[in-house]
Amino acid sequence: MDMSAKDRIRIFDTTLRDGEQAAGGNLNVAEKLQIARQLGKLGVDVIEAGFPAASPGDFACVDAIAREGLDSIIAGLSRTREEDIRACHAAVKAAPRHRIHTFIATSPIHMQHKLNMTPDEVLREIRFAVSLARELAEDVEFSAEDASRSELPFLIQAFRTAAEAGATTLNIPDTVGYATPEEFQEFCRSIIEGTAAPDNVVYSVHCHNDLGLAVANSLAAVHAGARQVECTVNGLGERAGNASLEEIVMALKTRSDRYGLASGLDTTKLHPTSALVSRLSGIHVPPNKAIVGANAFAHQAGIHQHGVMANPLTYEIMKPEDVGASGTELVLGKHSGRHAFRSRIEELGYVLTPDQSERAFALFKKLCDNKKNVSDEDLAALIADEILLTSIENLYDLKHCSVKTGEGPALAVITLGNGQGDISDAATGNGPIDAAYRAIRRAIDLEPELLSFNIKATSDRSDSLGETTVILRSGGVTAPGRGVSTDVIESAVKAFVNGVNRLHVLASAKGVELGKKSENHYE
Ligand code: KIV
Ligand code: ZN
């Protein structure tokens, strides 16, 4: 579809910023780079890469993404403080096209209880922040946090102030997911009419999903004139998440009769992008999730199956191949060569350096000794866990793990390398994984709390790989961990060790000390 700028919806992806704020979502720089590259291939207009002033680690991630030379605009978030705005600019400026996204709350409840500021002070902050950002960058977005609970006349004043100071995008967030579609459409229309910003200014919308209305509210705002939608892959995000990118994009495409608008995205990349984000974030996609869930195109009822066989349009409003869910899985085996291997991992959304690719190929060949057929899921799990996870500096590596089960409690013996030598310990527990986790805690003299634990098979077959995800916490630091192996116990042990390594990386980035074990109660 040939579309003018007025008919085009810009997709602003905030998976790496708002999405990453979801529980336990601490992606490392290698993982964020993979996601950013895939978002670039998908064709999103803007990638919000992070919040550079939040920590040196966040700054480094945004800077690394900015240096990738992607076609998408790279944005960073910043409060209205001078140091935030300067840090944001420093982090995004290497990108050929970059944006400073600054925000402040405009609702009475936020101004009074969070900011402790009068409305006049907030207006002064907006003028200051947007003017400074415009001195540094041509592309500046202003967001009025909690816009949907703000008073309309004040909100219009806030947006006018931002537009006068040079903002090129004005964003209307439903921060707490409180809006309903009809009301929000009216609200956005009134803002757009009332602000009457110059023609080059784009109105944007950013909806949270607390009432399950984020996508509906975003589309209502589009009806009112918004031409940028902020969203995340798989709807990832704080609390109930953000508007789901794939749902917005496919609603615009499937119902172009209704909207007459299009995003420029390559929708056949939606499925691989969703799988990549789900695997790297450790947050699984429910099977009934629209567009990207495992059952989104599965027809169970006999009457439906009959209809679909006669003519797919009887029950299918989109074709699975339109979203990259063709279901034809290429299975690789020990005779597959480098070329087939490389093109398959690229189709799965991974872009590896030549060195990573060689290592991955060697691991794949090793896996073929244990498994006749290596599926897409096996391959993606292998890359995510063996290549991306090892890109962080590991304090510990797993040297040996053996478990004994049978009558009575299980017994685990663990050996870890710590760069200076080997440390070993043993413990009993309620099953082999519990015993192994207790042995690791003893060996490292640290008691990370296990907040979440999940083991998943990469296929329905008994020769499947086991993929474990955990979320650990210690000393106020939370980190995810992942592990994969044909042996499920080993996958669980690897995940715990990986979580511990990530806890150390995050703790040192934050300058905090992980809580030491006070007394040994894991006997
Ligand atoms: O939800 C929100 O209000 C935000 C803003 C910072 C855009 O994420
Ligand atoms: Zn948000």
Side-chain angles (χ1 to χ4, degrees), residues 17-18 77 101 103 143 145 171 173 175 206 208:
R17 199 276 298 169
D18 221 339
L77 184 68
H101 176 193
F103 76 101
S143 284
E145 192 190 12
N171 184 35
T175 304
H206 174 114
H208 280 265

Side-chain angles (χ1 to χ4, degrees), residues 174 176-181 207-219 235 238-244 247-248:
D174 180 23
V176 291
Y178 180 70
T180 63
C207 295
H208 280 265
N209 205 29
D210 298 65
L211 292 173
L213 293 171
V215 170
N217 286 333
S218 304
L219 294 172
E238 287 268 16
R239 308 183 307 278
N242 288 60
S244 142
E247 293 176 25
I248 301 274

Side-chain angles (χ1 to χ4, degrees), residues 36-299:
R37 289 174 190 144
Q38 179 65 10
L39 290 171
K41 286 202 257 168
L42 180 64
V44 306
D45 296 273
V46 186
I47 297 173
E48 187 165 51
F51 191 161
S55 72
D58 279 52
F59 184 97
C61 283
V62 177
D63 178 56
I65 293 170
R67 291 176 194 281
E68 279 289 298
L70 300 173
D71 288 338
S72 315
I73 297 169
I74 305 301
L77 184 68
S78 83
R79 288 166 295 190
T80 48
R81 299 179 186 173
E82 177 170 356
E83 60 275 24
D84 270 41
I85 291 169
R86 292 198 186 277
C88 182
H89 176 247
V92 296
K93 70 173 193 250
R97 297 195 298 153
H98 51 263
R99 175 179 295 184
I100 298 176
H101 176 193
T102 185
F103 76 101
I104 192 165
T106 50
S107 65
I109 185 164
H110 276 233
M111 290 192 290
Q112 196 185 333
H113 297 284
K114 190 182 83 172
L115 299 175
N116 218 351
M117 278 185 183
T118 63
D120 277 346
E121 284 170 331
V122 168
L123 292 178
R124 271 202 293 279
E125 281 283 303
I126 296 172
R127 189 173 300 284
F128 164 77
V130 175
S131 308
L132 173 61
R134 267 313 300 264
E135 280 171 28
L136 300 169
E138 276 180 19
D139 187 343
V140 173
E141 172 166 339
F142 167 70
S143 284
E145 192 190 12
D146 206 18
S148 56
R149 293 191 301 168
S150 303
E151 284 162 6
L152 187 60
F154 178 66
L155 191 56
I156 289 174
Q157 238 185 318
F159 280 134
R160 277 196 189 153
T161 306
E164 281 162 17
T168 43
T169 302
L170 298 175
N171 184 35
I172 310 167
D174 180 23
T175 304
V176 291
Y178 180 70
T180 63
E182 312 74 37
E183 161 201 54
F184 200 52
Q185 183 169 333
E186 261 323 292
F187 189 65
C188 291
R189 200 186 298 284
S190 307
I191 293 169
I192 294 171
E193 281 171 12
T195 306
D199 265 2
N200 66 322
V201 171
V202 173
Y203 290 93
S204 167
V205 67
H206 174 114
C207 295
H208 280 265
N209 205 29
D210 298 65
L211 292 173
L213 293 171
V215 170
N217 286 333
S218 304
L219 294 172
V222 164
H223 264 308
R227 289 294 174 267
Q228 174 179 284
V229 176
E230 304 198 353
C231 45
T232 58
V233 176
N234 299 336
L236 221 62
E238 287 268 16
R239 308 183 307 278
N242 288 60
S244 142
L245 177 146
E246 53 282 356
E247 293 176 25
I248 301 274
V249 169
M250 288 314 290
L252 291 173
K253 180 170 172 145
T254 310
R255 298 307 310 272
S256 59
D257 58 320
R258 183 95 189 114
Y259 294 101
L261 299 164
S263 74
L265 267 59
D266 175 356
T267 61
T268 65
K269 302 253 174 346
L270 288 173
H271 235 259
T273 310
S274 159
L276 179 76
V277 168
S278 158
R279 170 153 277 114
L280 298 188
S281 66
I283 299 177
H284 299 298
V285 176
N288 61 335
K289 164 85 175 62
I291 319 294
V292 291
N295 293 346
F297 294 93
H299 301 277

